Amino acid sequence: MHRENTSSPAVRLRPGEAGHATTSAGRPRIAALDVVRGFALCGILLANVQPIAATGAFVAPSAPGGSEAAWLGLLVEQRFFPIFSLLFGVGFSLLLDSAAARTTRPRVVLLRRLLVLLALGVAHFVLLWHGDILSTYAAIGLLVLLPSTWLPRLAVAAVAPAFLAVSLLVGGDRLVLIAGLFLLGSALVRYGVIDRLEQSARVPAVLGLVLAAAAAPVLWLQTRFDTADRGFGISLAGAGLLIAGVYVCVLLVALKTPLRQVLQTVFAPLGRMALTNYLSATVLVLVAGLAFDSPPQTWPASTVLLIAGVILAVQWVWSILWLRRYRQGPLEWLWRWATWARRPPLRREETTSRSPAEDLR
């Protein structure tokens, strides 16, 4: 398999930093990916608290009740799943690159990974919440990402923005949007951008300013449309993409400042156990919802923030304690086992000459 990644090394974590580990073939973990993934996980939970609590069935996302919570609709709604979708495409291509170095049939490894994710997502959908995103990711991965591995990177880089444009033109179609973000993430890996992610703060700073300037008028349009208008869906999706980009750029710039250690401490443990935390959050929200008598759709912003904050605090402590003893989260470990069709080491004391990719990407 032709490997298109550049030779630029990924930024290594310093000893003692959260997330210190390597991925497949001894490749050092990219610290920024864990931080961004953990940050996106927090936002996704905040956006999903009400839909999950509303009888466990999918309802259209909406801002918490009360005019004082309108800012949540502007800063949270559809602002975080684009980040998670982009990271999924990034992780897919990183794993393909690693699998190509270990086996003559790397796409079989990826096929197993997607099929297992599909099974997890379907179980989550049937048993807990009809708003599950994992099954959607797996299906789009099978239909779009896996076939894209046979395309040259230039074709993938050209098709990605086309998918994003089509999604906006048809009113913010979520499936097409996810497909475009998957391909964009894959292209970033194949062109070596991810390996150079933390080399400079200037590029994300400039890009963040450009995206923020573009987001301002789109946010204004979002506030002008009625939710039933087609323009609302377009402006919501467009603003979501732009604001998501701003968030990522701000994090990348902040990682070049003294805030780096704080960001890694807060977000990296959550990001390294993203699959476990995403699925367990559904159970925790459903349990928390039993403590309130009012319908979830009427909850004020303070209630949503309280539930999300408590759950994230519990998950953060759990992730920290778990990762001190184990290499990765329990569901991540099982997913990795199914991906490679052999039992990987779990405890940190266990050693192995083979170290397949280990995190949710």
Side-chain angles (χ1 to χ4, degrees), residues 82-103:
I83 302 176
F84 221 61
S85 300
L86 181 73
L87 291 177
F88 191 91
V90 168
F92 186 90
S93 285
L94 287 176
L95 181 60
L96 176 62
D97 185 60
S98 298
R102 300 182 49 76
T103 176

Side-chain angles (χ1 to χ4, degrees), residues 56-347:
F58 178 79
V59 295
S62 61
S67 59
E68 79 284 356
W71 61 273
L72 279 179
L74 294 177
L75 300 179
V76 175
E77 188 177 344
Q78 293 201 28
R79 276 37 171 176
F80 292 91
F81 94 85
I83 302 176
F84 221 61
S85 300
L86 181 73
L87 291 177
F88 191 91
V90 168
F92 186 90
S93 285
L94 287 176
L95 181 60
L96 176 62
D97 185 60
S98 298
R102 300 182 49 76
T103 176
T104 57
R105 303 178 67 187
R107 292 179 181 86
V108 174
V109 173
L110 293 170
L111 176 61
R112 282 200 300 263
R113 189 169 181 84
L114 290 172
L115 290 176
V116 172
L117 185 65
L118 180 62
L120 282 173
V122 169
H124 185 225
F125 177 90
V126 173
L127 300 176
L128 294 173
W129 181 43
H130 291 172
D132 167 77
I133 195 66
L134 299 182
S135 52
T136 301
Y137 277 13
I140 296 177
L142 290 168
L143 294 174
V144 177
L145 262 183
L146 194 57
S148 76
T149 61
W150 278 279
L151 297 176
R153 63 182 184 178
L154 179 60
V156 175
V159 171
F163 268 95
L164 298 179
V166 169
S167 171
L168 296 177
L169 289 175
V170 299
D173 184 89
R174 196 173 191 183
L175 299 181
V176 180
L177 183 64
I178 291 173
L181 290 167
F182 278 6
L183 293 176
L184 178 59
S186 178
L188 291 176
V189 173
R190 295 173 71 173
Y191 274 96
V193 175
I194 297 301
D195 279 335
R196 302 190 297 270
L197 198 60
E198 296 191 66
Q199 288 188 1
S200 170
R202 182 177 301 175
V203 173
V206 173
L207 179 59
L209 290 174
V210 172
L211 292 174
V218 181
L219 283 172
W220 180 81
L221 285 175
Q222 180 183 328
T223 64
R224 306 299 294 177
F225 285 112
D226 184 84
T227 55
D229 293 339
R230 181 173 178 270
F232 178 80
I234 297 175
S235 60
L236 179 65
L241 283 174
L242 294 169
I243 295 299
V246 171
Y247 287 161
V248 172
C249 289
V250 169
L251 283 173
L252 293 179
V253 172
L255 283 170
K256 300 296 289 185
T257 72
L259 289 174
R260 178 185 181 90
Q261 186 61 51
V262 174
L263 292 173
Q264 288 190 185
T265 300
V266 172
F267 295 119
L270 294 170
R272 289 189 61 191
M273 290 179 51
L275 179 61
T276 297
N277 288 328
Y278 171 77
L279 291 174
S280 64
T282 300
V283 177
L284 294 174
V285 169
L286 290 173
V287 172
L290 299 176
F292 299 90
D293 296 328
S294 57
Q297 294 89 338
T298 65
W299 288 348
S302 57
T303 298
V304 174
L305 289 170
L306 175 64
I307 293 174
V310 171
I311 290 174
L312 289 171
V314 170
Q315 290 185 329
W316 181 80
V317 173
W318 149 257
S319 298
I320 288 286
L321 296 176
W322 180 272
L323 291 172
R324 284 180 181 175
R325 176 172 293 187
Y326 302 105
R327 295 170 178 263
Q328 57 192 140
L331 290 182
E332 285 78 7
W333 177 71
L334 291 172
W335 194 21
R336 178 181 171 191
W337 188 346
T339 296
W340 294 92
R342 58 176 175 267
R343 181 187 180 279
L346 180 58
R347 289 182 176 273

